[in-house]
Amino acid sequence: MKSYRYLIVGGGLAADAAVMGIRAVDSEGSIAILSEEPHPPYRRPMLSKALWRGTPIDEVWLPTAEAGAEIHTGIQVMRLDLDTKCVQDARGEEWRFEKLLLATGCIPRTLPQAPDGILYFRTLSDYFTLREAITEAEHIGIIGGGYIGSELGASLTINGKRVTMLFPETGICARLLPPPLSDWLNAFYRERGVEVITGVLVQRVSRDNRWQVHLSDGQTLIFDALVAGLGVLPRDELAHQAGLTTPTEFSPPTQTGTPEKKSLDGVRVNRFLQTAHPDVYAAGDVALFPYARLGIETRVEHEDHAIASGFYAGQAMAGEAQPYEHLPMFYSELFDIRYEAVGLIDSQLEVRMEGDLPTEAGVITYHQQGRIVGALSWRNAMPVDDLRELIGHSS
Ligand SMILES: Cc1cc2nc3c(=O)[nH]c(=O)nc-3n(C[C@H](O)[C@H](O)[C@H](O)COP(=O)(O)OP(=O)(O)OC[C@H]3O[C@@H](n4cnc5c(N)ncnc54)[C@H](O)[C@@H]3O)c2cc1C
């Protein structure tokens, strides 16, 4: 049985940042990362943007190993035993720890009863598969008009592919952006050659040498390759199995057919990223943490949070715990439009827009119970730190 001072399950952005956090405090203690992916830690956000716009693949890698962490790829952890402080992988091998970090991220939602081969885009392997597929595929279908669908729609179009996006909402990124913006994005994408089909559900998918997608409005669309971005679910199963979180309730199946967890899912941590067990921490997408400025508990599925919370968790594991009070930001690139956002970005909230949106720069604020809970800068209207300043202020 191998034994480490610091063991990290998951090999993504949070894991890499945790190594840096540990090393900022402890230059000696042994660190191992166990990751089920075949690749060492890499910059996941590049998969849907930069790598399609000329950034060389070499730039995807994170410098985790240089900080003195052992990286074990292709290892899926199946069990966590808190009494003996060890985890067991899929081959039955056990790995002991003094301090453990769960940085297991999220897994994409899938379509029910669909044939194999739909690309639920998340990993570097998915990126390589899509790159390979588009050497032959001419017409690509993208199911989903949210974060991943909108970015891939733009990136594949820039790469000369014929793209059709289809989704149930009325507009692109409609769950984040208010109707005037998301409706405008439909037109903006169409002008660039993307076919945008709104207000449809996928009823059935079949496949012979091409893909047939049967829609709720009676249409059947034919594609050479099919990609889906249907949102993600936290990989909190190890914590559940070890009894670390409160039980997660499931709501009825959504329109995509996948049972949707209620918002309080993930691995619950305190403000030091520590779970109910003092030697087990969680960070990144999977962590359900106290969002101090808003006085809520939430998960955040974005890069800045993965990096900051991973670093804080690493420092805490190494004995220098500081409260995690960072206000995470996220960004996206849709053709030549960039936006950044902080806080709760949900178009169901009361939304106010300032500036000549959408064609010019502007700021969108999101309001709840008389205060600003989210702020979005459209086309570089406001620096991210100024967005952060807005959060929590009265409306
Ligand atoms: C295509 C794409 C583009 C994105 N672009 C942006 C962006 O522009 N801006 C932004 O803010 N955010 C973006 N995100 C989100 C961002 O990448 C995530 O928030 C971030 O990667 C989360 O980091 P993490 O380390 O928590 O989890 P992950 O990066 O998901 O890493 C978790 C790792 O743990 C592994 N794992 C899980 N369970 C086990 C187990 N039991 N045993 C072993 N290994 C396990 C997984 O395989 C994975 O490798 C993007 C996400 C995707 C998919």
PDB file of all heavy atoms in Angstrom, residues 125 133 188 202 326 356 369 378:
ATOM      1  N   SER A 125      -9.568  14.171 -23.975  1.00  0.00           N
ATOM      2  CA  SER A 125      -9.854  13.067 -24.900  1.00  0.00           C
ATOM      3  C   SER A 125     -11.040  13.422 -25.801  1.00  0.00           C
ATOM      4  O   SER A 125     -11.027  13.114 -27.004  1.00  0.00           O
ATOM      5  CB  SER A 125     -10.175  11.777 -24.132  1.00  0.00           C
ATOM      6  OG  SER A 125      -9.088  11.420 -23.325  1.00  0.00           O
ATOM      7  N   ALA A 133     -12.961  13.758 -35.515  1.00  0.00           N
ATOM      8  CA  ALA A 133     -14.259  13.603 -36.195  1.00  0.00           C
ATOM      9  C   ALA A 133     -14.444  14.659 -37.273  1.00  0.00           C
ATOM     10  O   ALA A 133     -14.988  14.373 -38.345  1.00  0.00           O
ATOM     11  CB  ALA A 133     -15.398  13.679 -35.172  1.00  0.00           C
ATOM     12  N   PHE A 188     -26.976  36.953 -34.103  1.00  0.00           N
ATOM     13  CA  PHE A 188     -25.526  37.124 -34.255  1.00  0.00           C
ATOM     14  C   PHE A 188     -24.876  35.814 -34.740  1.00  0.00           C
ATOM     15  O   PHE A 188     -24.034  35.820 -35.647  1.00  0.00           O
ATOM     16  CB  PHE A 188     -24.969  37.533 -32.879  1.00  0.00           C
ATOM     17  CG  PHE A 188     -23.493  37.732 -32.805  1.00  0.00           C
ATOM     18  CD1 PHE A 188     -22.904  38.891 -33.293  1.00  0.00           C
ATOM     19  CD2 PHE A 188     -22.667  36.775 -32.211  1.00  0.00           C
ATOM     20  CE1 PHE A 188     -21.524  39.081 -33.193  1.00  0.00           C
ATOM     21  CE2 PHE A 188     -21.300  36.954 -32.115  1.00  0.00           C
ATOM     22  CZ  PHE A 188     -20.730  38.112 -32.613  1.00  0.00           C
ATOM     23  N   VAL A 202     -35.035  17.253 -27.821  1.00  0.00           N
ATOM     24  CA  VAL A 202     -34.654  16.036 -28.544  1.00  0.00           C
ATOM     25  C   VAL A 202     -35.539  14.910 -28.031  1.00  0.00           C
ATOM     26  O   VAL A 202     -35.573  14.645 -26.830  1.00  0.00           O
ATOM     27  CB  VAL A 202     -33.169  15.702 -28.300  1.00  0.00           C
ATOM     28  CG1 VAL A 202     -32.829  14.340 -28.892  1.00  0.00           C
ATOM     29  CG2 VAL A 202     -32.285  16.789 -28.887  1.00  0.00           C
ATOM     30  N   HIS A 326     -12.952  34.372  -1.488  1.00  0.00           N
ATOM     31  CA  HIS A 326     -12.762  34.845  -2.854  1.00  0.00           C
ATOM     32  C   HIS A 326     -14.115  34.913  -3.575  1.00  0.00           C
ATOM     33  O   HIS A 326     -14.957  34.049  -3.407  1.00  0.00           O
ATOM     34  CB  HIS A 326     -11.841  33.840  -3.559  1.00  0.00           C
ATOM     35  CG  HIS A 326     -11.544  34.164  -4.966  1.00  0.00           C
ATOM     36  ND1 HIS A 326     -10.790  35.249  -5.327  1.00  0.00           N
ATOM     37  CD2 HIS A 326     -11.896  33.544  -6.126  1.00  0.00           C
ATOM     38  CE1 HIS A 326     -10.686  35.284  -6.645  1.00  0.00           C
ATOM     39  NE2 HIS A 326     -11.344  34.272  -7.145  1.00  0.00           N
ATOM     40  N   ASP A 356     -25.001  50.413 -24.097  1.00  0.00           N
ATOM     41  CA  ASP A 356     -25.652  50.181 -25.383  1.00  0.00           C
ATOM     42  C   ASP A 356     -25.579  48.714 -25.776  1.00  0.00           C
ATOM     43  O   ASP A 356     -25.049  48.353 -26.836  1.00  0.00           O
ATOM     44  CB  ASP A 356     -25.000  51.067 -26.461  1.00  0.00           C
ATOM     45  CG  ASP A 356     -25.289  52.533 -26.227  1.00  0.00           C
ATOM     46  OD1 ASP A 356     -26.394  52.831 -25.724  1.00  0.00           O
ATOM     47  OD2 ASP A 356     -24.401  53.361 -26.496  1.00  0.00           O
ATOM     48  N   GLN A 369     -33.835  40.256  -3.587  1.00  0.00           N
ATOM     49  CA  GLN A 369     -34.180  40.823  -2.271  1.00  0.00           C
ATOM     50  C   GLN A 369     -33.455  42.147  -2.005  1.00  0.00           C
ATOM     51  O   GLN A 369     -32.822  42.337  -0.964  1.00  0.00           O
ATOM     52  CB  GLN A 369     -33.873  39.813  -1.172  1.00  0.00           C
ATOM     53  CG  GLN A 369     -34.804  38.625  -1.269  1.00  0.00           C
ATOM     54  CD  GLN A 369     -34.397  37.465  -0.387  1.00  0.00           C
ATOM     55  OE1 GLN A 369     -33.270  37.394   0.094  1.00  0.00           O
ATOM     56  NE2 GLN A 369     -35.313  36.547  -0.189  1.00  0.00           N
ATOM     57  N   TRP A 378     -20.164  43.001 -20.328  1.00  0.00           N
ATOM     58  CA  TRP A 378     -20.331  42.588 -21.738  1.00  0.00           C
ATOM     59  C   TRP A 378     -19.362  43.390 -22.588  1.00  0.00           C
ATOM     60  O   TRP A 378     -19.339  44.623 -22.467  1.00  0.00           O
ATOM     61  CB  TRP A 378     -21.786  42.870 -22.134  1.00  0.00           C
ATOM     62  CG  TRP A 378     -22.209  42.511 -23.516  1.00  0.00           C
ATOM     63  CD1 TRP A 378     -22.393  43.360 -24.567  1.00  0.00           C
ATOM     64  CD2 TRP A 378     -22.557  41.200 -23.990  1.00  0.00           C
ATOM     65  NE1 TRP A 378     -22.826  42.674 -25.665  1.00  0.00           N
ATOM     66  CE2 TRP A 378     -22.934  41.342 -25.340  1.00  0.00           C
ATOM     67  CE3 TRP A 378     -22.575  39.926 -23.403  1.00  0.00           C
ATOM     68  CZ2 TRP A 378     -23.335  40.263 -26.113  1.00  0.00           C
ATOM     69  CZ3 TRP A 378     -22.971  38.856 -24.178  1.00  0.00           C
ATOM     70  CH2 TRP A 378     -23.343  39.023 -25.517  1.00  0.00           C
TER      71      TRP A 378
END
